[in-house]
Amino acid sequence: QVQLEESGGGLVQPGGSLRLSCTASGIIFSIYAMSWYRQAPGKQRELVARISSGGGSTVYGDSVKGRFTISRDNAKNTVYLQMNSLKPEDTAFYYCKAFFGKDYWGQGTQVTVSS
């Protein structure tokens, strides 16, 4: 059974930082590309960042470039999203996704940026 479990969300003030983690089980993690998506109330789910299976290639959404960093540790079956300089508009539910011919999604974690 495939499971993706996100953690690290919470409430943070504008300008603050959070690090999200997503740990996978039930898949050969090292062959999967991993992504972070987010969805705010009333908005479509959008790509935040994506990292290749080996970690050598990354892609970021325009709204997070220069502020967020995606990384992975294949030995720990975990992908991370370091979020710096957070803004209120970053408030959303954040999901991780594993892709290798098929998508697997986690349940998500809430990030709220507010003073």
Side-chain angles (χ1 to χ4, degrees):
Q1 182 180 357
V2 178
Q3 286 189 318
L4 300 177
E5 185 171 356
E6 299 97 336
S7 61
L11 174 63
V12 63
Q13 292 187 341
S17 298
L18 281 176
R19 189 177 82 153
L20 305 183
S21 301
C22 171
T23 300
S25 60
I27 59 172
I28 303 173
F29 183 77
S30 61
I31 68 173
Y32 280 75
M34 298 297 296
S35 301
W36 286 97
Y37 284 76
R38 68 186 182 187
Q39 187 166 20
K43 294 188 176 182
Q44 288 190 330
R45 191 173 293 190
E46 64 171 346
L47 174 69
V48 176
R50 183 170 63 241
I51 188 166
S52 59
S53 57
S57 176
T58 56
V59 173
Y60 294 92
D62 288 341
S63 61
V64 307
K65 283 179 183 176
R67 300 188 298 123
F68 290 11
T69 302
I70 189 170
S71 62
R72 66 190 295 159
D73 185 340
N74 285 350
K76 295 182 178 180
N77 285 6
T78 300
V79 62
Y80 305 98
L81 184 68
Q82 178 66 44
M83 305 186 294
N84 299 329
S85 302
L86 283 161
K87 305 174 181 180
E89 50 263 43
D90 295 316
T91 296
F93 222 73
Y94 284 70
Y95 301 87
C96 71
K97 186 187 83 170
F99 175 75
F100 183 73
K102 180 179 178 179
D103 292 346
Y104 295 103
W105 291 87
Q107 294 298 306
T109 186
Q110 176 69 42
V111 171
T112 302
V113 184
S114 175
S115 55

